[in-house]
Amino acid sequence: MKSSFLSGAALIGVSLLAASLQAQPAATADPYAALEEVDGASALAQVRQWNDRSLAELEKQPGFETYRSRALALLSDRQKIAAPDQVLAGRVVNFWQDADHPRGLWRIASVEAFAAGKPDWRTLIDVGALGKAEGRSWAFKGATCLAPAYVRCMVALSDGGGDAVTEREYDLDRGAFVEGGFVVPEAKTSVAWDGPDALYVATDFGDGSKTDSGYARLVKRWKRGTPLASATLVAEGERADVSISARSVHDGRRSWAWVDRRTDFFHGTIRHVAADGRLVASPLPDDAEVNDVIDGRLIATLKSPWEGRPAGALVAYRIADLLDGRKPAIETVFVPTARQAIEEVETGGQVVWIKLLDDVSGKLVAVRRGDDERWSATTAALPDKATVHIRAVSGKDDRAFATVEAMLTPPALYVAAPTGKAEVVQALKPRFDATGMAVEQRFATSKDGTRIPYFLVRKSGASGPVPALVHAYGGFEAAQTPAYLVNEPYRSGPAALFWVEEGNAYVLANIRGGGEYGPAWHHAALREKRQNAYDDLYAVAEDLVKAGISQKGRIAVSGRSNGGLMAGVAMTQRPDLFGAAVIGSPLLDMKRYSHLLAGASWMGEYGNPDVPADWSFIARYSPYQALKAGVKYPVPFLYTSTRDDRVHPGHARKFAAKMEAIGAPFLYFEALEGGHAAGVEPKEDALRAALVTSYLNLQLPR
């Protein structure tokens, strides 16, 4: 039964919010604009009140503490894949978290011992201990290491888990930060090495150095032993751009550097850096995605047809030809079929490794250039109908390390040779009893006739409708592939596992806007075509009803970030279909999104709401503007983070405030720490797993 606590107007706290808004100018169009002040006193007071009220309701639900403690144990278990983050000159580096080290250990081992399943780990940085010693809430955000020795690295650390980082130089052999070494202060920064004594740095250099999206507008070259302020300009973009950055890749013979200016999220210009500092434009179309370099050839994925090659194809050209003033020949490396999509590309010494999706099932393919200058492909012998991710490639022998998992199959780490032979390095034992559970891939038909795949997991032989949780994303060409149920849905720990164990159905929907079938699948939901993604979601939910798997009003929609937008749209467009909505780290006010944090960088996806023609189609689905009094909406669970410096917490806050004002009940939780892309500690996702599961039990009748 639904709680009586949620059946009324739920107006506690309105007086506090109203008082804070009295100070706002009368002409303010948005009555809840004060909630956009991330650390504003009145905004945080309102957040605390919503948090306290919602936690009190959810924590008293049957099984809450059991869910949380079990989720934490699963997410902190030492029995997990030690996946390689990089293979560097015969050594593997890995970032590891467990119950004893919730902030993580950055560590290193020899590649031979690692491949044999007996890694000799040496800890480089204990992130928790470092944070404690320095009085910071450090979260590890990766490292950029100097080729070909890979001894010096620029380590990125975030205070609180956001996208802004401090970059510090580290010596792998000594296991210590370099005294007097390179340090780039906290900002949304990217770095690349230019030899041992210089860096390309894209960061906040002061007034006018950032784009409207909050990223770097300038790339400079910084010489060792000089102040950052004296770094010399390499390239610059415009304020209206998304960002600019530099990248340097070593292919075994030499390093190649280029500048990437992103004019919007999907378009930009690539300019190679010549030895004399000249910038030479790439011949690639402006929507191509640069992947890597091999044997002096730049490897890139096409996002639109180009010179007789289809969108989705992998191409290459010799960088030296371009720098020497010659027109480089464009080579076709690989062309996927209509049911395939290239999702990941990594290079070794002589082999390009491709992770393909084939009807949303993962495959690993090795592609090599022969003496006849043609590229040929070999498929690695990995399990079928699974999710595959390339973790790292060894440049010395072209071996690829890849993880393989499925909803009911625990992750395993394989090492694959270019011949196609693959061996298990580490395989996890099952972490839950999957006996009596079954997974199937089904297809729904969307409003325009498009075939939409989705994965369904439930008890074997289940008959009769049960509550269903449908998770989806549908944007930015990001495919949704099934993970072991300990990590479904994304950033909600084992919530899906708990849900299925209790006799319910979990669905992962592959709606348009993602990359499941390549660029065309993404383009079908861009800008004015956004409604296609939402119609796909509704088709999946209605297919569950038609098949007798679930019923209207007993289906929950779930999404995070762009998926949180989707869940908000579903709740406001189809309150008849959904009985609950998990709306995570969401965009909801699509009139204001481009003015909040990194929002301007996504106008290539959604359009510009300040342009009337664009707002005319965005307004048709923007959830914040769609909320109306008198409509019986499903009671949503909104969650976000105060420290999310990518998607502004004001979206969730203002949506909650408007629901409160129209007398519509909701539940809300805003974590005070943790960024957008990843949690700082496993306890964050463990708590969310308990909150989501308890919320679903509360809202969806059995």
Side-chain angles (χ1 to χ4, degrees), residues 7-228:
S7 62
L11 294 175
I12 300 173
V14 169
S15 59
L16 185 154
L17 180 61
S20 73
L21 296 174
Q22 286 176 358
Q24 299 299 306
T28 300
D30 186 347
Y32 310 112
L35 292 171
E36 292 180 4
E37 296 179 24
V38 173
D39 294 311
S42 61
L44 290 178
Q46 179 63 86
V47 164
R48 284 191 291 270
Q49 191 173 81
W50 286 334
N51 277 2
D52 291 346
R53 187 180 74 196
S54 300
L55 285 175
E57 180 66 11
L58 292 174
E59 287 177 342
K60 73 181 183 183
Q61 299 306 312
F64 178 87
E65 194 51 49
T66 300
Y67 293 139
R68 176 161 57 180
S69 59
R70 186 181 172 205
L72 183 57
L74 286 167
L75 296 174
S76 303
D77 194 344
R78 290 179 180 274
Q79 192 223 173
K80 60 182 180 180
I81 295 294
D85 299 318
Q86 295 170 289
V87 178
L88 307 174
R91 300 186 290 185
V92 168
V93 290
N94 161 260
F95 182 67
W96 175 266
Q97 290 175 289
D98 59 29
D100 295 333
H101 306 94
R103 296 271 164 159
L105 302 175
W106 190 44
R107 56 190 192 170
I108 193 167
S110 71
V111 69
E112 292 307 323
F114 179 85
K118 299 178 180 179
D120 47 347
W121 293 116
R122 172 169 62 92
T123 296
L124 298 169
I125 299 176
D126 181 328
V127 180
L130 178 67
K132 185 176 181 181
E134 298 182 347
R136 308 290 286 275
S137 181
W138 286 133
F140 183 76
K141 292 288 184 173
T144 304
C145 300
L146 172 64
Y150 298 106
V151 172
R152 293 293 178 92
C153 300
M154 292 300 295
V155 172
L157 296 167
S158 167
D159 191 3
D163 289 347
V165 297
T166 299
E167 295 272 2
R168 297 163 65 177
E169 188 176 3
Y170 191 91
D171 188 299
L172 295 185
D173 287 347
R174 292 179 53 241
F177 288 104
V178 177
E179 186 175 351
F182 289 116
V183 176
V184 184
E186 184 178 66
K188 291 185 177 180
T189 298
S190 67
V191 298
W193 289 94
D194 183 25
D197 295 316
L199 287 176
Y200 295 111
V201 180
T203 190
D204 182 357
F205 288 104
D207 290 346
S209 68
K210 294 193 295 184
T211 66
D212 292 338
S213 298
Y215 296 101
R217 192 182 67 79
L218 309 174
V219 172
K220 296 187 178 184
R221 185 177 184 273
W222 183 21
K223 294 177 63 176
R224 188 180 297 280
T226 66
L228 180 59

Side-chain angles (χ1 to χ4, degrees), residues 50-69 71 469 491-495 498-499 581-582 636-640 667-671 683-699:
W50 286 334
N51 277 2
D52 291 346
R53 187 180 74 196
S54 300
L55 285 175
E57 180 66 11
L58 292 174
E59 287 177 342
K60 73 181 183 183
Q61 299 306 312
F64 178 87
E65 194 51 49
T66 300
Y67 293 139
R68 176 161 57 180
S69 59
L469 172 63
R491 291 300 307 278
S492 289
F498 300 159
W499 187 241
V582 180
F637 172 52
L638 297 130
Y639 72 82
T640 186
L667 287 162
Y668 183 97
F669 180 71
E670 181 173 319
K683 66 181 181 182
E684 296 173 26
D685 289 355
L687 172 60
R688 193 170 298 115
L691 292 171
V692 168
T693 308
S694 297
Y695 160 76
L696 293 172
N697 287 337
L698 191 64
Q699 295 305 313

